[in-house]
Structures are given as structure tokens and as C-alpha cells.
């Protein structure tokens, strides 16, 4: 890897992730991030160390692929979009009917990000975060902007033969 190049590496449960958190709760399901597959985006630095630019973790159950966690340290440069595309390709390989995810009501950047990439709002789960806090008490009550963190919102991207009509990641 040359200095400055961004490389996307597939990880599995034996690899170490650069997570600040160890579990994610979605729809009452506890996900242990270290046990899930995913991808990481890294860039070589001048000191020959790798700088982590982002990562995505997912799970596939039956014909559904859930994006469990997506983080990017560099917004607006395509890291999150490429990570999402890599998971979608895995979902296509496994013949999944949809890719879906949960975000919370105050996370307006994520809500906008997913909709711009063809995801549709599928469900609204009132006060679901209160239930999630029973498994993960560290979930804050309020966002940095002072918005109460209370509800889960489900987004989905329906897949059919590897393409969703009217949308492509190559845009």
C-alpha cells in the first residue's frame, strides 16, 4: 500500500476491529461486533502505519443482510459509500432480498446518507432505544445537539437480481 492510497480490506471474526464499542443493539438483537464480518478502509501514512478511515460490520441471516455498524472518519469523500457498496455486493452474492439497518431518530446525518443511497424508510419503532439501554446502558439519553435519543428507524434497500431499479452505487 502506497502512502495516501485508500485500501478496503475484508475482515472476519478472527480479525481485530478498531471499535470504540463492542456491542450494538438493533431491534432487540444484541450484536457482538468482534464476531461479525465486515470491511475496513485504511490509508498508509508516512510513518508506515495504517490510518483507519472507516469500517462497516454486517450480518446475513437467511435472505436478509443487516448493516450493524458503519463508521467513517472522513465524511464526504466516499468512504462510507464504498463500504456500503462492498456489503451490498456480499448481499448480492448470497442472494439476499434486501439490505437493511437501524438508526436512531436524532441521527439526521445517517438518515440523509442512507436515503441519498437509495434506502427507504421501512419502520419506526417508538421508544425502542429505552429497551436497548437495558443491554447497553452507555447509550446516551441526548445527542450532542440536545435531541432525545428515543426511537429506532429502519431503512431498507430492496435487491432484485443485484440491482434496484432507478439506483446505482456508481452515481
Amino acid at each position: 500500500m502506497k502512502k495516501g492510497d485508500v485500501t478496503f480490506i475484508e475482515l472476519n471474526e478472527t480479525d481485530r476491529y478498531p471499535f470504540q464499542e463492542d456491542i450494538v443493539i438493533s431491534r432487540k438483537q444484541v450484536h457482538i461486533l468482534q464476531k461479525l464480518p465486515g470491511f475496513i478502509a485504511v490509508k498508509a501514512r508516512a510513518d508506515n502505519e495504517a490510518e483507519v478511515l472507516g469500517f462497516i460490520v454486517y450480518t446475513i441471516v437467511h435472505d436478509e443482510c443487516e448493516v450493524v455498524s458503519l463508521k467513517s472518519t472522513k465524511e464526504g469523500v466516499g468512504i462510507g459509500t464504498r463500504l456500503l457498496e462492498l456489503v451490498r455486493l456480499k448481499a448480492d452474492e448470497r442472494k439476499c432480498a434486501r439490505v437493511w439497518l437501524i438508526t436512531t431518530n436524532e441521527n439526521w446525518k445517517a438518515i440523509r446518507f442512507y436515503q441519498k443511497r437509495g434506502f427507504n424508510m421501512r419502520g419506526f419503532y417508538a421508544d425502542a432505544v429505552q429497551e436497548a439501554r437495558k443491554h447497553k446502558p452507555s447509550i446516551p439519553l441526548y445527542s450532542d445537539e440536545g435531541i432525545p435519543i428515543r426511537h429506532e428507524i429502519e431503512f431498507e434497500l430492496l435487491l432484485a437480481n443485484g440491482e434496484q431499479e432507478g439506483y446505482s452505487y456508481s452515481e
Side-chain angles (χ1 to χ4, degrees), residues 45-50:
R45 298 188 318 210
D47 61 4
N48 291 325
E49 292 293 319

Side-chain angles (χ1 to χ4, degrees), residues 48-76:
N48 291 325
E49 292 293 319
E51 176 186 0
V52 175
L53 301 178
F55 65 87
I56 192 166
V57 181
Y58 67 95
T59 184
I60 295 177
V61 177
H62 305 298
D63 68 343
E64 295 191 350
C65 177
E66 179 184 1
V67 174
V68 176
S69 185
L70 170 61
K71 305 277 191 236
S72 177
T73 62
K74 305 280 185 193
E75 291 184 15

Side-chain angles (χ1 to χ4, degrees), residues 48-140:
N48 291 325
E49 292 293 319
E51 176 186 0
V52 175
L53 301 178
F55 65 87
I56 192 166
V57 181
Y58 67 95
T59 184
I60 295 177
V61 177
H62 305 298
D63 68 343
E64 295 191 350
C65 177
E66 179 184 1
V67 174
V68 176
S69 185
L70 170 61
K71 305 277 191 236
S72 177
T73 62
K74 305 280 185 193
E75 291 184 15
V77 296
I79 301 295
T81 299
R82 179 65 181 143
L83 289 166
L84 199 55
E85 178 183 356
L86 290 168
V87 169
R88 181 190 170 169
L89 292 171
K90 283 292 182 186
D92 282 339
E93 282 177 21
R94 297 276 300 271
K95 309 248 186 284
C96 291
R98 72 183 191 134
V99 176
W100 68 281
L101 59 97
I102 295 290
T103 192
T104 49
N105 63 282
E106 91 301 343
N107 195 347
W108 58 270
K109 284 184 180 182
I111 291 168
R112 189 172 63 206
F113 174 83
Y114 293 118
Q115 289 182 90
K116 286 176 71 174
R117 282 146 189 87
F119 282 75
N120 292 309
M121 193 179 297
R122 170 79 161 83
F124 177 83
Y125 307 102
D127 297 316
V129 178
Q130 185 169 340
E131 181 68 27
R133 284 189 185 98
K134 292 178 183 175
H135 300 284
K136 188 175 178 180
S138 62
I139 298 172

